[in-house]
Amino acid sequence: MTEPLRVALLGYGLAGSVFHAPFISAVDGLDLAVVTTRDPGRRRQAEETYPGVLVVDGPEEVFARAEDLDLVVVATPNTLHVPHALSALEAGLPVVVDKPLAPTADEARTLVGEARDRELMLTAFQNRRWDGDFLTVRRLIAEGALGSVHRFESRIDRWRPDLTGAWRECADEAGGLLLDLGTHLVDQALQLFGPAELRHAEVDARRAGAEVEDDVFLALEHASGERSHLGMSLVAAQPGPRFRVLGDRAAFVKHGSDPQEEALRAGHSPDEAGFGEEPPERWGLLGAEGATTPVPTAPGEYSAFYAGVAQSLHEGAPPPVDPTDAVQVLELLEAARLA
């Protein structure tokens, strides 16, 4: 490869510090050059974790340095995704946008059109395409281990019965589960089975004082015939299976969540040995009742997203996530909100 691409990361909250900065730094061909945050504690954390990084207060200071940069990563709150991405494109810089690509499908189409007109890379950070359990499900389906799949059940359950005041709980900040976990679950289903229509939606705000949905169920019917049942909840005192995939030859059931987020939050680095691997006791089971076999979970690999970004910008390969995929996801999420 040529010289590493100099990357500016907008935002150093959970998304920026846990899901983006570690992988930007770990992937060959990328250099974390600039981080934006106005929080003194986060500034210190960024400077200590990534010696040599320039920490500035806001995006305007990044765009003033556009000629010295090669890529902008937008990891700010949802309502800022579009204005920050548009500013980056107008400055002549390719863009990675944390999910959701935009709060609405129309805004996402605007971003896609702007990037196309300027001939700049635009991609959405749908990192859960590289969850180890999802990679395992994808492989089993591709190999025919389940036979013909007729039902795909996927859910992420959490137990957070009390409101915290975070921006994701605010309606005017484009918060709520649809634009959070919903973007991942719908994207995964579309990746496995292709285009789909919404057949049923339950979108509820269960917690006292909640402004946005915290308990959601979506039923999709794919053009290819499969049905996807997708659940996400912050009020699940006991979680259900992460995946339950039913075919005419076998089923696959997997409990627990991909370990990468937990490892990142604990301060582990993506380049550590064993990162993203699951122990045997967490593997899923393949087969029929009374005759199941544990299936090793593929190692999770969020770093593959940023390796794809580097390859796209260095070699002209397609981006790791086609931004039009994000538009299709948002169309289904909007349909759910209106159902």
Side-chain angles (χ1 to χ4, degrees):
M1 285 189 175
T2 57
E3 288 296 313
L5 301 166
R6 292 175 56 80
V7 182
L9 174 59
L10 308 187
Y12 201 69
L14 173 63
S17 64
V18 172
F19 290 105
H20 291 279
F23 296 101
I24 295 169
S25 298
V27 168
D28 290 339
L30 300 178
D31 173 41
L32 183 61
V34 184
V35 167
T36 72
T37 179
R38 289 183 170 84
D39 182 273
R42 292 175 182 173
R43 174 185 289 268
R44 287 193 299 272
Q45 179 190 355
E47 291 173 338
E48 291 171 1
T49 306
Y50 306 102
V53 71
L54 174 65
V55 182
V56 299
D57 285 342
E60 62 281 354
E61 296 176 71
V62 168
F63 301 131
R65 296 175 168 84
E67 292 184 356
D68 299 323
L69 297 168
D70 302 294
L71 174 68
V72 168
V73 175
V74 178
T76 48
N78 291 349
T79 52
L80 297 175
H81 286 188
V82 172
H84 287 164
L86 283 175
S87 293
L89 292 169
E90 290 166 359
L93 293 169
V95 191
V96 170
V97 184
D98 194 66
K99 59 80 192 164
L101 181 62
T104 68
D106 279 345
E107 290 174 294
R109 292 188 197 98
T110 296
L111 284 182
V112 171
E114 187 72 17
R116 181 182 60 246
D117 291 346
R118 294 179 180 272
E119 299 183 342
L120 292 169
M121 188 205 72
L122 170 70
T123 189
F125 187 64
Q126 294 289 168
N127 61 301
R128 287 193 177 272
R129 291 188 185 185
W130 291 274
D131 277 355
D133 45 20
F134 177 70
L135 293 173
T136 304
V137 168
R138 192 167 198 167
R139 176 179 60 81
L140 291 173
I141 292 174
E143 292 175 350
L146 301 163
S148 177
V149 172
H150 54 268
R151 188 178 306 278
F152 172 67
E153 298 176 6
S154 169
R155 63 180 307 112
I156 298 178
D157 288 330
R158 293 172 178 168
W159 179 233
R160 297 176 182 172
D162 300 316
L163 298 174
T164 65
W167 68 262
R168 293 187 186 278
E169 298 173 348
C170 300
D172 58 2
E173 295 286 350
L177 279 181
L178 285 173
L179 290 178
D180 186 12
L181 300 178
T183 60
H184 289 306
L185 297 188
V186 172
D187 180 71
Q188 288 182 337
L190 297 185
Q191 285 297 297
L192 289 177
F193 306 115
E197 293 186 5
L198 180 75
R199 293 305 185 205
H200 178 70
E202 299 170 12
V203 181
D204 296 301
R206 303 286 188 187
R207 295 174 294 183
E211 297 180 11
V212 294
E213 71 278 358
D214 53 20
D215 190 37
V216 176
F217 171 77
L218 305 178
L220 309 181
E221 183 175 356
H222 297 268
S224 50
E226 299 88 353
R227 295 180 185 269
S228 290
H229 286 181
L230 312 176
M232 61 212 82
S233 181
L234 299 179
V235 290
Q238 294 190 44
R242 174 65 184 89
F243 290 109
R244 182 171 178 259
V245 192
L246 306 179
D248 61 5
R249 288 182 54 193
F252 178 71
V253 180
K254 172 73 172 64
H255 290 264
S257 57
D258 179 272
Q260 292 176 93
E261 178 176 351
E262 181 182 357
L264 292 165
R265 285 175 177 265
H268 294 286
S269 172
D271 53 13
E272 290 181 18
F275 182 86
E277 296 181 1
E278 274 195 336
E281 60 268 23
R282 294 178 60 176
W283 293 351
L285 297 177
L286 173 69
E289 185 175 5
T292 58
T293 302
V295 176
T297 304
E301 196 179 5
Y302 292 165
S303 59
F305 174 86
Y306 272 109
V309 169
Q311 187 177 24
S312 179
L313 295 178
H314 279 297
E315 303 174 17
V321 174
D322 187 330
T324 62
D325 292 350
V327 176
Q328 295 176 38
V329 169
L330 287 165
E331 289 172 344
L332 287 167
L333 296 177
E334 288 176 359
R337 203 177 290 281
L338 295 172

